[in-house]
Coordinates of all heavy atoms in Angstrom, one line a residue:
M25 N 28.4 -78.6 11.3 CA 27.1 -79.0 10.9 C 27.1 -79.2 9.4 O 27.6 -78.4 8.6 CB 26.1 -77.9 11.3 CG 24.7 -78.2 10.9 SD 23.8 -76.8 11.2 CE 22.5 -76.7 11.8
A26 N 26.6 -80.4 9.0 CA 26.6 -80.7 7.5 C 25.6 -79.9 6.8 O 24.5 -79.7 7.3 CB 26.3 -82.2 7.4
P27 N 25.9 -79.5 5.6 CA 24.9 -78.7 4.8 C 23.7 -79.6 4.4 O 23.8 -80.8 4.2 CB 25.7 -78.3 3.6 CG 26.9 -79.2 3.5 CD 27.1 -79.7 4.9
N28 N 22.6 -79.0 4.3 CA 21.3 -79.7 4.0 C 21.4 -80.0 2.5 O 21.5 -79.1 1.7 CB 20.2 -78.8 4.4 CG 18.8 -79.5 4.2 OD1 18.8 -80.6 3.8 ND2 17.8 -78.8 4.6
S29 N 21.2 -81.3 2.2 CA 21.3 -81.6 0.7 C 20.1 -81.1 0.0 O 20.2 -80.8 -1.2 CB 21.3 -83.2 0.6 OG 20.1 -83.8 1.1
N30 N 18.9 -81.0 0.6 CA 17.7 -80.4 0.0 C 18.0 -78.9 -0.4 O 17.6 -78.5 -1.5 CB 16.5 -80.5 0.9 CG 15.2 -80.2 0.1 OD1 15.1 -80.3 -1.1 ND2 14.2 -79.7 0.9
H31 N 18.6 -78.2 0.4 CA 19.0 -76.8 0.1 C 20.0 -76.8 -1.0 O 19.9 -75.9 -1.9 CB 19.6 -76.1 1.4 CG 20.1 -74.7 1.1 ND1 19.2 -73.7 0.9 CD2 21.3 -74.2 1.1 CE1 19.9 -72.6 0.7 NE2 21.2 -72.9 0.8
F32 N 20.9 -77.7 -1.0 CA 21.9 -77.8 -2.1 C 21.2 -78.1 -3.5 O 21.5 -77.5 -4.5 CB 22.9 -78.9 -1.8 CG 24.0 -79.0 -2.9 CD1 25.0 -78.0 -3.0 CD2 24.0 -80.1 -3.7 CE1 25.9 -78.1 -4.0 CE2 25.0 -80.2 -4.7 CZ 25.9 -79.3 -4.8
L33 N 20.2 -79.0 -3.5 CA 19.5 -79.3 -4.7 C 18.7 -78.1 -5.2 O 18.6 -77.9 -6.4 CB 18.6 -80.5 -4.5 CG 19.3 -81.9 -4.4 CD1 18.4 -83.0 -4.1 CD2 20.1 -82.2 -5.7
K34 N 18.1 -77.3 -4.2 CA 17.3 -76.2 -4.6 C 18.3 -75.1 -5.3 O 17.9 -74.5 -6.3 CB 16.6 -75.5 -3.4 CG 15.4 -76.3 -3.0 CD 14.7 -75.6 -1.8 CE 13.5 -76.4 -1.4 NZ 12.9 -75.8 -0.2
E35 N 19.4 -74.9 -4.7 CA 20.4 -74.0 -5.3 C 20.9 -74.5 -6.7 O 21.0 -73.7 -7.6 CB 21.6 -73.8 -4.4 CG 21.4 -72.8 -3.3 CD 22.7 -72.6 -2.6 OE1 23.8 -72.9 -3.1 OE2 22.6 -72.1 -1.4
S36 N 21.1 -75.8 -6.8 CA 21.5 -76.4 -8.0 C 20.4 -76.2 -9.1 O 20.7 -75.9 -10.2 CB 21.8 -77.9 -7.8 OG 22.1 -78.5 -9.1
S37 N 19.2 -76.4 -8.7 CA 18.1 -76.2 -9.7 C 18.0 -74.8 -10.1 O 17.7 -74.5 -11.3 CB 16.7 -76.6 -9.0 OG 16.8 -78.0 -8.7
Y38 N 18.2 -73.8 -9.2 CA 18.1 -72.4 -9.5 C 19.2 -72.1 -10.5 O 19.0 -71.4 -11.5 CB 18.2 -71.6 -8.2 CG 18.4 -70.1 -8.5 CD1 17.3 -69.4 -8.9 CD2 19.6 -69.5 -8.4 CE1 17.5 -68.0 -9.2 CE2 19.8 -68.1 -8.7 CZ 18.7 -67.4 -9.1 OH 18.9 -66.1 -9.4
L39 N 20.4 -72.6 -10.2 CA 21.6 -72.2 -11.1 C 21.4 -72.9 -12.5 O 21.8 -72.3 -13.5 CB 22.9 -72.7 -10.5 CG 23.4 -71.9 -9.3 CD1 24.6 -72.5 -8.6 CD2 23.6 -70.5 -9.6
T40 N 20.8 -74.1 -12.5 CA 20.6 -74.7 -13.8 C 19.5 -73.9 -14.6 O 19.7 -73.7 -15.8 CB 20.1 -76.2 -13.6 OG1 21.1 -76.9 -12.9 CG2 19.8 -76.8 -14.9
A41 N 18.5 -73.4 -13.9 CA 17.5 -72.6 -14.6 C 18.1 -71.3 -15.1 O 17.8 -70.8 -16.2 CB 16.3 -72.3 -13.7
L42 N 19.0 -70.7 -14.3 CA 19.7 -69.5 -14.7 C 20.6 -69.7 -15.9 O 20.5 -69.0 -16.9 CB 20.5 -68.9 -13.6 CG 21.3 -67.6 -13.8 CD1 20.3 -66.5 -14.1 CD2 22.2 -67.3 -12.7
K43 N 21.3 -70.8 -15.9 CA 22.2 -71.2 -17.1 C 21.3 -71.4 -18.3 O 21.7 -70.9 -19.4 CB 22.9 -72.5 -16.8 CG 24.0 -72.3 -15.8 CD 24.7 -73.7 -15.6 CE 25.5 -73.8 -14.4 NZ 26.1 -75.1 -14.1
S44 N 20.2 -72.1 -18.2 CA 19.3 -72.3 -19.4 C 18.8 -71.0 -19.9 O 18.6 -70.8 -21.1 CB 18.2 -73.3 -19.0 OG 18.8 -74.6 -18.7
S45 N 18.4 -70.1 -19.0 CA 17.8 -68.8 -19.4 C 18.8 -68.0 -20.1 O 18.5 -67.4 -21.2 CB 17.3 -68.1 -18.2 OG 16.3 -68.8 -17.5
I46 N 20.1 -68.0 -19.6 CA 21.1 -67.2 -20.3 C 21.4 -67.9 -21.7 O 21.6 -67.2 -22.7 CB 22.4 -67.2 -19.4 CG1 22.1 -66.3 -18.2 CG2 23.6 -66.7 -20.2 CD1 23.2 -66.4 -17.2
W47 N 21.4 -69.2 -21.8 CA 21.6 -69.9 -23.0 C 20.5 -69.5 -24.0 O 20.8 -69.2 -25.2 CB 21.7 -71.4 -22.8 CG 22.0 -72.2 -24.0 CD1 23.3 -72.3 -24.6 CD2 21.2 -73.0 -24.8 NE1 23.2 -73.1 -25.7 CE2 21.9 -73.5 -25.9 CE3 19.8 -73.2 -24.7 CZ2 21.3 -74.3 -26.8 CZ3 19.2 -74.1 -25.7 CH2 20.0 -74.6 -26.7
L48 N 19.3 -69.6 -23.6 CA 18.2 -69.2 -24.5 C 18.3 -67.8 -25.0 O 18.0 -67.4 -26.1 CB 16.8 -69.5 -23.8 CG 16.5 -71.0 -23.7 CD1 15.2 -71.1 -22.9 CD2 16.3 -71.6 -25.1
L49 N 18.6 -66.9 -24.1 CA 18.8 -65.5 -24.4 C 19.9 -65.3 -25.5 O 19.8 -64.6 -26.4 CB 19.1 -64.6 -23.2 CG 19.3 -63.1 -23.4 CD1 18.0 -62.5 -23.9 CD2 19.8 -62.5 -22.2
G50 N 21.0 -66.1 -25.3 CA 22.1 -66.1 -26.3 C 21.6 -66.6 -27.6 O 22.1 -66.0 -28.7
I51 N 20.8 -67.6 -27.6 CA 20.2 -68.1 -28.9 C 19.4 -67.0 -29.6 O 19.6 -66.7 -30.8 CB 19.3 -69.3 -28.7 CG1 20.1 -70.4 -28.1 CG2 18.6 -69.7 -29.9 CD1 20.8 -71.4 -29.0
A52 N 18.6 -66.3 -28.9 CA 17.8 -65.2 -29.5 C 18.6 -64.1 -30.0 O 18.4 -63.6 -31.2 CB 16.8 -64.7 -28.5
V53 N 19.6 -63.7 -29.2 CA 20.5 -62.6 -29.7 C 21.3 -63.1 -30.9 O 21.5 -62.3 -31.9 CB 21.5 -62.2 -28.5 CG1 22.6 -61.3 -29.0 CG2 20.7 -61.5 -27.4
G54 N 21.8 -64.3 -30.9 CA 22.6 -64.8 -32.0 C 21.7 -64.9 -33.3 O 22.2 -64.5 -34.4
L55 N 20.5 -65.4 -33.2 CA 19.6 -65.4 -34.4 C 19.4 -64.0 -34.9 O 19.4 -63.8 -36.2 CB 18.3 -66.1 -34.0 CG 18.4 -67.6 -33.8 CD1 17.1 -68.2 -33.4 CD2 18.8 -68.3 -35.1
L56 N 19.1 -63.1 -34.1 CA 18.9 -61.7 -34.5 C 20.2 -61.1 -35.2 O 20.1 -60.4 -36.2 CB 18.5 -60.8 -33.4 CG 17.1 -61.0 -32.8 CD1 16.8 -60.2 -31.6 CD2 16.0 -60.7 -33.9
N57 N 21.3 -61.5 -34.6 CA 22.6 -61.0 -35.2 C 22.8 -61.6 -36.6 O 23.3 -60.9 -37.5 CB 23.7 -61.3 -34.2 CG 24.9 -60.4 -34.5 OD1 24.9 -59.5 -35.3 ND2 26.0 -60.7 -33.8
V58 N 22.6 -62.9 -36.7 CA 22.8 -63.5 -38.0 C 21.8 -62.9 -39.0 O 22.2 -62.6 -40.2 CB 22.6 -65.1 -37.9 CG1 22.5 -65.7 -39.3 CG2 23.7 -65.7 -37.1
A59 N 20.6 -62.7 -38.6 CA 19.6 -62.1 -39.5 C 20.0 -60.7 -39.9 O 19.9 -60.3 -41.1 CB 18.2 -62.0 -38.9
S60 N 20.5 -59.9 -38.9 CA 21.0 -58.5 -39.2 C 22.2 -58.5 -40.2 O 22.2 -57.7 -41.1 CB 21.4 -57.9 -37.9 OG 22.0 -56.6 -38.1
Q61 N 23.1 -59.4 -39.9 CA 24.3 -59.5 -40.8 C 23.9 -60.0 -42.2 O 24.4 -59.5 -43.2 CB 25.3 -60.5 -40.3 CG 26.0 -60.0 -39.0 CD 26.9 -58.8 -39.3 OE1 27.5 -58.7 -40.4 NE2 27.1 -58.0 -38.3
G62 N 22.9 -60.9 -42.3 CA 22.4 -61.4 -43.6 C 21.8 -60.3 -44.4 O 21.9 -60.1 -45.6
M63 N 20.9 -59.5 -43.7 CA 20.3 -58.4 -44.3 C 21.3 -57.3 -44.8 O 21.1 -56.7 -45.8 CB 19.2 -57.8 -43.4 CG 18.0 -58.7 -43.2 SD 16.8 -58.0 -42.1 CE 16.2 -56.6 -43.0
A64 N 22.3 -57.1 -44.0 CA 23.3 -56.1 -44.4 C 24.0 -56.6 -45.7 O 24.3 -55.7 -46.5 CB 24.4 -56.0 -43.3
V65 N 24.3 -57.9 -45.8 CA 24.9 -58.4 -47.0 C 24.0 -58.2 -48.2 O 24.4 -57.8 -49.3 CB 25.3 -59.9 -46.9 CG1 25.7 -60.5 -48.2 CG2 26.5 -60.0 -45.9
V66 N 22.7 -58.5 -48.0 CA 21.7 -58.4 -49.1 C 21.5 -57.0 -49.5 O 21.4 -56.6 -50.7 CB 20.4 -59.1 -48.7 CG1 19.3 -58.9 -49.8 CG2 20.7 -60.6 -48.6
M67 N 21.3 -56.1 -48.5 CA 21.0 -54.7 -48.8 C 22.2 -53.9 -49.4 O 22.0 -52.9 -50.0 CB 20.5 -54.0 -47.5 CG 19.2 -54.5 -47.0 SD 18.0 -54.2 -48.2 CE 16.5 -54.5 -47.3
A68 N 23.4 -54.4 -49.2 CA 24.5 -53.7 -49.8 C 24.5 -53.7 -51.3 O 25.1 -52.8 -51.9 CB 25.8 -54.3 -49.2
G69 N 23.8 -54.6 -51.9 CA 23.8 -54.6 -53.4 C 24.9 -55.4 -54.0 O 24.8 -55.9 -55.1
F70 N 26.0 -55.6 -53.3 CA 27.1 -56.4 -53.7 C 27.7 -57.1 -52.5 O 27.5 -56.6 -51.4 CB 28.2 -55.6 -54.4 CG 28.8 -54.5 -53.5 CD1 30.0 -54.8 -52.8 CD2 28.2 -53.3 -53.4 CE1 30.5 -53.9 -52.0 CE2 28.8 -52.3 -52.5 CZ 30.0 -52.6 -51.8
S71 N 28.3 -58.2 -52.7 CA 28.8 -59.0 -51.6 C 30.3 -58.7 -51.4 O 31.1 -59.2 -52.2 CB 28.6 -60.5 -51.8 OG 27.2 -60.8 -51.9
S72 N 30.6 -58.0 -50.4 CA 32.0 -57.7 -50.2 C 32.6 -58.9 -49.3 O 31.9 -59.5 -48.6 CB 32.2 -56.4 -49.5 OG 31.7 -56.4 -48.2
A73 N 33.9 -59.1 -49.4 CA 34.5 -60.1 -48.6 C 34.4 -59.9 -47.1 O 34.2 -60.8 -46.3 CB 36.0 -60.2 -49.0
I74 N 34.4 -58.6 -46.7 CA 34.3 -58.3 -45.3 C 32.9 -58.6 -44.8 O 32.8 -59.2 -43.7 CB 34.7 -56.8 -45.0 CG1 36.2 -56.7 -45.3 CG2 34.4 -56.4 -43.6 CD1 36.7 -55.2 -45.2
A75 N 31.9 -58.2 -45.5 CA 30.5 -58.5 -45.1 C 30.3 -60.0 -45.0 O 29.6 -60.5 -44.1 CB 29.6 -57.8 -46.0
L76 N 30.7 -60.7 -46.0 CA 30.5 -62.2 -46.0 C 31.3 -62.8 -44.8 O 30.8 -63.8 -44.2 CB 31.0 -62.8 -47.3 CG 30.0 -62.5 -48.5 CD1 30.6 -63.0 -49.8 CD2 28.6 -63.0 -48.2
T77 N 32.5 -62.3 -44.5 CA 33.3 -62.8 -43.4 C 32.6 -62.6 -42.1 O 32.5 -63.4 -41.2 CB 34.7 -62.2 -43.4 OG1 35.3 -62.5 -44.6 CG2 35.5 -62.7 -42.2
H78 N 32.0 -61.4 -41.9 CA 31.2 -61.0 -40.7 C 30.1 -62.0 -40.5 O 29.8 -62.5 -39.4 CB 30.7 -59.6 -40.7 CG 31.8 -58.6 -40.5 ND1 31.6 -57.3 -40.7 CD2 33.0 -58.7 -39.9 CE1 32.7 -56.6 -40.4 NE2 33.6 -57.4 -39.9
L79 N 29.4 -62.3 -41.6 CA 28.2 -63.2 -41.6 C 28.7 -64.6 -41.2 O 28.1 -65.3 -40.4 CB 27.5 -63.2 -42.9 CG 26.3 -64.1 -43.0 CD1 25.2 -63.8 -42.0 CD2 25.7 -64.1 -44.5
L80 N 29.8 -65.0 -41.8 CA 30.3 -66.4 -41.5 C 30.7 -66.5 -40.0 O 30.4 -67.5 -39.4 CB 31.5 -66.7 -42.4 CG 32.1 -68.1 -42.2 CD1 31.2 -69.2 -42.5 CD2 33.4 -68.2 -43.0
V81 N 31.4 -65.5 -39.5 CA 31.9 -65.6 -38.1 C 30.7 -65.5 -37.2 O 30.7 -66.3 -36.2 CB 32.9 -64.4 -37.9 CG1 33.1 -64.2 -36.4 CG2 34.2 -64.6 -38.6
T82 N 29.7 -64.7 -37.5 CA 28.5 -64.6 -36.7 C 27.8 -66.0 -36.6 O 27.4 -66.5 -35.6 CB 27.6 -63.5 -37.2 OG1 28.3 -62.3 -37.2 CG2 26.4 -63.4 -36.3
A83 N 27.7 -66.6 -37.8 CA 27.0 -67.9 -37.9 C 27.8 -69.0 -37.1 O 27.3 -69.8 -36.4 CB 26.9 -68.3 -39.3
L84 N 29.2 -68.9 -37.2 CA 30.0 -69.9 -36.5 C 29.9 -69.7 -35.0 O 29.9 -70.7 -34.2 CB 31.5 -69.8 -36.9 CG 31.8 -70.3 -38.3 CD1 33.2 -70.0 -38.7 CD2 31.5 -71.8 -38.4
F85 N 29.8 -68.4 -34.5 CA 29.6 -68.2 -33.1 C 28.2 -68.7 -32.6 O 28.1 -69.3 -31.5 CB 29.7 -66.7 -32.7 CG 31.1 -66.2 -32.6 CD1 31.4 -65.0 -33.1 CD2 32.0 -66.9 -31.9 CE1 32.7 -64.5 -33.0 CE2 33.3 -66.5 -31.8 CZ 33.7 -65.2 -32.3
L86 N 27.2 -68.6 -33.4 CA 25.9 -69.1 -33.1 C 25.9 -70.7 -33.0 O 25.4 -71.3 -32.1 CB 24.8 -68.7 -34.1 CG 23.4 -69.1 -33.8 CD1 22.9 -68.6 -32.4 CD2 22.5 -68.7 -34.9
I87 N 26.6 -71.3 -33.9 CA 26.7 -72.8 -33.9 C 27.5 -73.2 -32.7 O 27.1 -74.2 -32.0 CB 27.4 -73.3 -35.2 CG1 26.5 -73.1 -36.4 CG2 27.8 -74.7 -35.1 CD1 27.1 -73.3 -37.7
A88 N 28.6 -72.5 -32.3 CA 29.3 -72.8 -31.1 C 28.5 -72.6 -29.9 O 28.5 -73.4 -28.9 CB 30.6 -71.9 -31.0
W89 N 27.6 -71.6 -29.9 CA 26.7 -71.4 -28.7 C 25.7 -72.5 -28.6 O 25.4 -72.9 -27.4 CB 26.0 -70.0 -28.9 CG 25.2 -69.6 -27.7 CD1 23.9 -69.7 -27.5 CD2 25.8 -69.0 -26.5 NE1 23.6 -69.2 -26.3 CE2 24.7 -68.8 -25.6 CE3 27.0 -68.7 -26.1 CZ2 24.9 -68.2 -24.4 CZ3 27.2 -68.1 -24.9 CH2 26.1 -67.9 -24.0
F90 N 25.3 -73.1 -29.7 CA 24.4 -74.3 -29.6 C 25.1 -75.4 -28.9 O 24.5 -76.2 -28.2 CB 23.9 -74.7 -31.0 CG 22.8 -74.0 -31.5 CD1 22.9 -73.3 -32.7 CD2 21.5 -74.0 -30.9 CE1 21.8 -72.6 -33.2 CE2 20.4 -73.3 -31.4 CZ 20.6 -72.6 -32.6
C91 N 26.4 -75.6 -29.1 CA 27.1 -76.7 -28.5 C 27.3 -76.5 -27.0 O 27.7 -77.4 -26.3 CB 28.5 -76.8 -29.2 SG 28.3 -77.3 -30.9
L92 N 27.1 -75.3 -26.5 CA 27.4 -75.0 -25.1 C 26.1 -75.1 -24.3 O 26.1 -74.6 -23.2 CB 27.9 -73.5 -25.0 CG 29.3 -73.3 -25.5 CD1 29.7 -71.8 -25.4 CD2 30.3 -74.1 -24.8
K93 N 25.1 -75.9 -24.7 CA 23.9 -76.0 -24.0 C 24.2 -76.6 -22.6 O 24.9 -77.6 -22.5 CB 22.9 -76.9 -24.8 CG 21.6 -77.1 -24.0 CD 20.7 -77.9 -24.8 CE 19.3 -78.0 -24.1 NZ 18.3 -78.8 -24.8
P94 N 23.6 -76.0 -21.5 CA 23.9 -76.5 -20.2 C 23.2 -77.8 -20.0 O 22.2 -78.2 -20.6 CB 23.3 -75.4 -19.3 CG 22.4 -74.6 -20.1 CD 22.8 -74.8 -21.5
A95 N 23.7 -78.6 -19.0 CA 23.1 -79.9 -18.7 C 21.7 -79.7 -18.0 O 21.4 -78.7 -17.4 CB 24.0 -80.6 -17.7
S96 N 20.9 -80.7 -18.1 CA 19.5 -80.6 -17.6 C 19.6 -80.8 -16.1 O 20.5 -81.3 -15.5 CB 18.6 -81.6 -18.2 OG 19.0 -82.9 -17.8
V97 N 18.5 -80.4 -15.4 CA 18.4 -80.6 -13.9 C 18.5 -82.1 -13.6 O 19.1 -82.5 -12.6 CB 17.1 -80.0 -13.4 CG1 17.0 -80.2 -11.9 CG2 17.1 -78.5 -13.7
V98 N 17.8 -82.9 -14.4 CA 17.8 -84.4 -14.1 C 19.2 -84.9 -14.1 O 19.6 -85.7 -13.2 CB 16.9 -85.1 -15.1 CG1 17.0 -86.6 -14.9 CG2 15.5 -84.6 -15.0
M99 N 20.0 -84.5 -15.1 CA 21.4 -85.1 -15.2 C 22.2 -84.6 -14.1 O 23.1 -85.3 -13.5 CB 22.0 -84.7 -16.5 CG 21.4 -85.5 -17.7 SD 22.3 -85.1 -19.2 CE 23.8 -85.9 -18.9
E100 N 22.0 -83.3 -13.7 CA 22.8 -82.8 -12.5 C 22.5 -83.4 -11.2 O 23.3 -83.7 -10.4 CB 22.6 -81.2 -12.4 CG 23.4 -80.5 -13.4 CD 23.4 -79.0 -13.2 OE1 23.0 -78.6 -12.1 OE2 23.9 -78.3 -14.0
R101 N 21.2 -83.7 -11.0 CA 20.8 -84.4 -9.8 C 21.4 -85.8 -9.8 O 21.8 -86.3 -8.7 CB 19.3 -84.4 -9.7 CG 18.7 -83.1 -9.2 CD 17.2 -83.3 -9.0 NE 16.7 -82.0 -8.7 CZ 15.4 -81.7 -8.7 NH1 14.5 -82.6 -9.0 NH2 15.0 -80.5 -8.4
A102 N 21.3 -86.5 -10.9 CA 21.9 -87.9 -11.0 C 23.4 -87.8 -10.7 O 23.9 -88.7 -10.0 CB 21.6 -88.5 -12.3
T103 N 24.1 -86.8 -11.2 CA 25.5 -86.7 -10.9 C 25.8 -86.4 -9.5 O 26.8 -86.9 -8.9 CB 26.1 -85.6 -11.8 OG1 25.8 -85.9 -13.2 CG2 27.6 -85.5 -11.7
I104 N 24.9 -85.6 -8.8 CA 25.1 -85.2 -7.4 C 24.9 -86.5 -6.6 O 25.7 -86.8 -5.6 CB 24.2 -84.1 -7.0 CG1 24.6 -82.8 -7.7 CG2 24.2 -83.9 -5.5 CD1 23.6 -81.7 -7.5
Q105 N 23.9 -87.3 -6.9 CA 23.5 -88.4 -6.1 C 24.5 -89.6 -6.3 O 24.9 -90.3 -5.4 CB 22.1 -88.9 -6.4 CG 21.1 -87.9 -5.9 CD 19.7 -88.3 -6.3 OE1 19.5 -89.2 -7.1 NE2 18.7 -87.5 -5.9
N106 N 25.1 -89.7 -7.5 CA 26.0 -90.8 -7.8 C 27.1 -90.2 -8.7 O 27.1 -90.3 -9.9 CB 25.3 -91.9 -8.6 CG 26.1 -93.1 -8.7 OD1 27.3 -93.2 -8.3 ND2 25.7 -94.1 -9.5
P107 N 28.1 -89.7 -8.1 CA 29.2 -89.0 -8.8 C 30.0 -89.9 -9.8 O 30.6 -89.5 -10.7 CB 30.1 -88.4 -7.8 CG 29.6 -88.9 -6.5 CD 28.4 -89.6 -6.7
N108 N 30.0 -91.2 -9.5 CA 30.7 -92.2 -10.4 C 29.9 -92.6 -11.6 O 30.4 -93.4 -12.3 CB 31.2 -93.4 -9.5 CG 32.1 -92.9 -8.4 OD1 32.9 -92.0 -8.6 ND2 32.1 -93.6 -7.3
S109 N 28.7 -92.1 -11.7 CA 27.8 -92.5 -12.8 C 28.3 -91.9 -14.1 O 28.9 -90.9 -14.2 CB 26.4 -92.0 -12.6 OG 25.6 -92.3 -13.7
T110 N 28.1 -92.7 -15.2 CA 28.5 -92.2 -16.5 C 27.3 -92.0 -17.4 O 27.1 -92.7 -18.4 CB 29.5 -93.2 -17.2 OG1 28.8 -94.5 -17.3 CG2 30.8 -93.3 -16.5
L111 N 26.4 -91.0 -17.1 CA 25.2 -90.8 -17.8 C 25.6 -90.2 -19.1 O 26.0 -89.5 -19.7 CB 24.3 -89.8 -17.1 CG 23.6 -90.5 -15.9 CD1 22.8 -89.5 -15.2 CD2 22.7 -91.6 -16.3

């Protein structure tokens, strides 16, 4: 028996929403972490190399997280319906 494509699309929509929610949660956590590291550098009274390195690495992780944004539901549906498409 062939799987129901409507059921597959519902599952795909659910997984896309889950991916987007996790991505948004990661953005919030990353912003809080950058703010925390920045405050730690400012409150220390002097800028140590280790504190600045921590701040830089945290900011780079946040920028990398921005690049990992999941595809939208519309793009996934188009890819499912026409796998040879180059959207």
Side-chain angles (χ1 to χ4, degrees):
M25 183 187 223
N28 187 357
S29 64
N30 190 26
H31 177 70
F32 180 72
L33 287 175
K34 284 182 182 178
E35 277 189 19
S36 177
S37 296
Y38 172 74
L39 288 176
T40 301
L42 181 65
K43 289 177 194 176
S44 295
S45 298
I46 291 172
W47 183 75
L48 287 173
L49 181 66
I51 296 272
V53 169
L55 287 173
L56 288 173
N57 200 6
V58 167
S60 172
Q61 291 291 331
M63 289 178 67
V65 167
V66 170
M67 292 298 193
F70 62 94
S71 298
S72 68
I74 293 175
L76 289 174
T77 303
H78 284 164
L79 179 60
L80 178 67
V81 169
T82 304
L84 288 175
F85 279 139
L86 182 61
I87 291 169
W89 189 258
F90 276 121
C91 295
L92 293 174
K93 182 177 182 178
S96 68
V97 175
V98 174
M99 288 186 69
E100 281 192 9
R101 284 185 184 165
T103 305
I104 290 169
Q105 291 173 354
N106 188 5
N108 296 327
S109 175
T110 56
L111 289 177

